Amino acid sequence: MAAKQVVFPFSLIFALAFIPLLVFSAQAVPLERLNSLKVIKSVNKNGPFLGLVTVYAPEEEAFFSTGVFRPDPRHPFVDLSGRRFQIGKVAGKKVIYVKCGVGLVNAAAATQQMLDLFDIKGVIHFGISGNANSSMHIGDVTIPYQVAQTGLWDWLKPNATLEPNDFAQFDFKNYNAPKGGDNKLGRVGYSTEQFYSTSGEVNVPQRPVWFNITKNWLHVASHLQGMKLEQCANSTLCLPQKPKLVVGLKGATSNFFIDNAAYTDFLFKTFGVTSLDMESSAVVMTCLSNGYPVIVIRGVSDLAGTQEGDNTIRLFGPLAALNTAKVVIRFVKSLPGNYISKF
């Protein structure tokens, strides 16, 4: 006797096939993230926002100590991937603030997440930095017009030929003491980034050395030069000169905290940079890659190894961070009310 053939309805077959996908999807997206995404959807109804990206605790403390940030009464913050994105207003402008964490990867990841999930119209990146320019001093604030990533190295043997994409070199033997002979550390070739952007050809990277800050925002910032900055960290610790804001210099970024006079001098002579930090180029690259306006504001906390004695970042870092925050606030205030359409 032949077995009777059983025919299942198509709807049942589809349901049985789809159930595992639903289970997988529920397991793949944590409940906490789903809840955060719901909050973000609600937050974006009140957008667009300015993005504010700083780096670590002393900068965050200085910014919030000014008292200008007004948290959103309904959704003051949302947590994502271990970071807290704070929602509110500064000088009447709607902002999303995040502390990204130290280094290039943290800076790029936090910035990309902000641009992907929130209704952002531009990013202000700020923090403290080392200084390679003798015309600048501790407490000063710089807003560069260009930044470069100077930490993408081809580390080569002594006298090796540089790679085609290397645009500068650092030869260790030039720093032998006493001078003369080769150095087993060889030489470093500074390579260009592979930069993908909405303005370039799809899937074909450009190889720029310098990344330009948004011109319209630099123009707004240029009118802030001459503003008053703090000279004293406290009642007993003051700088010998009044700090100043300078717009239009250059900055360098790498994953190194630089506290070495010889290397700082090399960076200044080779690239003409002033500020030395660990995040700015990553934030700028990420914004430009996605087609968003961006500006960098950095306060000088130390002399990157050219000082006598220990690095001054712990001593003057809070003052540099406060002066940076003051410039950020003035810049936000100076943006026209219709900045969304203008930039």
Side-chain angles (χ1 to χ4, degrees):
M1 179 175 172
K4 186 177 180 180
Q5 186 177 9
V6 179
V7 179
F8 293 100
F10 175 77
S11 58
L12 177 60
I13 296 173
F14 179 80
L16 291 173
F18 195 63
I19 286 173
L21 295 178
L22 291 174
V23 173
F24 175 77
S25 298
Q27 292 174 339
V29 182
L31 180 61
E32 181 183 357
R33 184 175 181 83
L34 289 174
N35 291 335
S36 294
L37 294 176
K38 289 179 182 177
V39 173
I40 290 172
K41 185 177 180 180
S42 177
V43 167
N44 283 337
K45 292 178 181 178
N46 295 319
F49 300 87
L50 279 171
L52 304 180
V53 180
T54 193
V55 181
Y56 79 138
E59 297 159 347
E60 181 173 80
E61 291 165 5
F63 174 68
F64 285 114
S65 73
T66 63
V68 300
F69 182 83
R70 297 288 185 264
D72 185 274
R74 184 181 179 191
H75 297 300
F77 64 86
V78 59
D79 295 337
L80 276 169
S81 307
R83 293 186 180 90
R84 175 157 291 182
F85 292 80
Q86 302 195 50
I87 302 112
K89 288 184 177 182
V90 170
K93 306 287 197 320
K94 298 174 184 178
V95 301
I96 305 286
Y97 164 90
V98 69
K99 178 179 66 179
C100 67
V102 174
L104 290 159
V105 173
N106 275 326
T111 304
Q112 187 65 59
Q113 193 168 44
M114 175 181 278
L115 297 179
D116 282 343
L117 297 178
F118 293 94
D119 184 5
I120 299 295
K121 292 301 179 183
V123 172
I124 302 168
H125 172 55
F126 63 99
I128 60 177
S129 73
N131 173 45
N133 185 343
S134 61
S135 69
M136 297 286 283
H137 303 92
I138 290 173
D140 291 348
V141 178
T142 172
I143 299 180
Y145 81 100
Q146 286 183 323
V147 294
Q149 214 280 59
T150 55
L152 194 59
W153 287 7
D154 293 314
W155 202 321
L156 309 171
K157 296 178 180 179
N159 303 315
T161 302
L162 293 178
E163 295 296 317
N165 288 313
D166 291 348
F167 60 94
Q169 67 172 335
F170 178 84
D171 203 326
F172 285 93
K173 70 181 180 183
N174 294 336
Y175 298 87
N176 287 347
K179 293 185 177 297
D182 285 329
N183 188 305
K184 289 184 178 180
L185 289 175
R187 62 171 59 178
V188 167
Y190 290 79
S191 185
T192 51
E193 287 276 9
Q194 294 190 355
F195 178 61
Y196 295 86
S197 75
T198 56
S199 61
E201 187 178 347
V202 174
N203 217 34
V204 178
Q206 302 168 56
R207 303 301 296 254
V209 175
W210 297 100
F211 295 89
N212 296 321
I213 303 303
T214 303
K215 287 184 179 179
N216 289 15
W217 280 15
L218 276 177
H219 178 72
V220 173
S222 67
H223 295 292
L224 304 182
Q225 294 180 112
M227 67 174 286
K228 183 180 178 181
L229 298 173
E230 298 297 325
Q231 189 172 351
C232 296
N234 53 50
S235 59
T236 60
L237 181 62
C238 293
L239 298 168
Q241 69 287 318
K242 293 181 179 180
K244 61 185 179 295
L245 167 64
V246 179
V247 179
L249 301 174
K250 293 182 177 182
T253 301
S254 68
N255 268 331
F256 316 131
F257 176 78
I258 299 171
D259 189 31
N260 181 279
Y263 189 60
T264 296
D265 182 62
F266 166 82
L267 289 173
F268 179 72
K269 289 180 178 177
T270 305
F271 304 111
V273 294
T274 295
S275 55
L276 308 176
D277 67 68
M278 302 172 67
E279 299 81 23
S280 291
S281 72
V283 176
V284 172
M285 277 187 65
T286 303
C287 290
L288 296 182
S289 177
N290 291 277
Y292 286 83
V294 63
I295 195 168
V296 171
I297 302 172
R298 287 280 180 168
V300 175
S301 61
D302 61 273
L303 302 180
T306 62
Q307 75 283 343
E308 294 291 335
D310 293 335
N311 192 287
T312 58
I313 188 171
R314 290 181 177 83
L315 190 62
F316 288 110
L319 176 60
L322 180 59
N323 280 342
T324 303
K326 288 170 71 76
V327 175
V328 170
I329 295 163
R330 281 286 300 274
F331 177 75
V332 172
K333 288 181 178 179
S334 299
L335 285 174
N338 61 340
Y339 74 92
I340 295 169
S341 60
K342 289 181 68 67
F343 303 117

